[in-house]
Amino acid sequence: RPDMTPGKFRILLRIGKIPHFDGHYRAIRPVKAGLAGGEYDIVATEDVYSGGVLRYSAGETVATLITGSDGWATSELLYLSTYQIFER
């Protein structure tokens, strides 16, 4: 994979469903708002080389993302490879 173009991760953290309270807990309604403060680590799943230079080692945390008030977080540019994202 010589000299692959870097890219970004973009994450949206949303609450899936919450109880709706109208005097009784009966309905579950979807929520469309984002959730702020979600923390995620992006970890390289393999050694990442670019231009023959080791950029990240397998298992290395290459970025940490925290979602903003709109629920979105975007990483810096990362080298093309495979990564895993873990919630903190």
Side-chain angles (χ1 to χ4, degrees):
R1 298 183 187 175
D3 297 321
M4 299 281 188
T5 304
K8 294 183 180 184
F9 278 97
R10 190 158 190 231
I11 294 174
L12 173 62
L13 177 60
R14 293 173 67 171
I15 302 172
K17 295 181 178 180
I18 61 169
H20 174 68
F21 183 75
D22 61 354
H24 303 75
Y25 284 104
R26 23 180 213 142
I28 301 290
R29 64 182 169 105
V31 174
K32 295 183 181 177
L35 184 61
E39 296 184 22
Y40 297 88
D41 287 330
I42 300 174
V43 178
T45 58
E46 60 189 8
D47 289 344
V48 179
Y49 290 89
S50 177
V53 176
L54 177 64
R55 304 298 179 163
Y56 311 123
S57 297
E60 180 180 346
T61 298
V62 300
T64 298
L65 304 180
I66 300 174
T67 58
S69 61
D70 61 355
W72 285 99
T74 304
S75 74
E76 296 297 322
L77 289 173
L78 298 174
Y79 293 96
L80 183 63
S81 188
T82 56
Y83 300 90
Q84 289 183 310
I85 300 175
F86 297 98
E87 187 173 12
R88 287 181 145 204

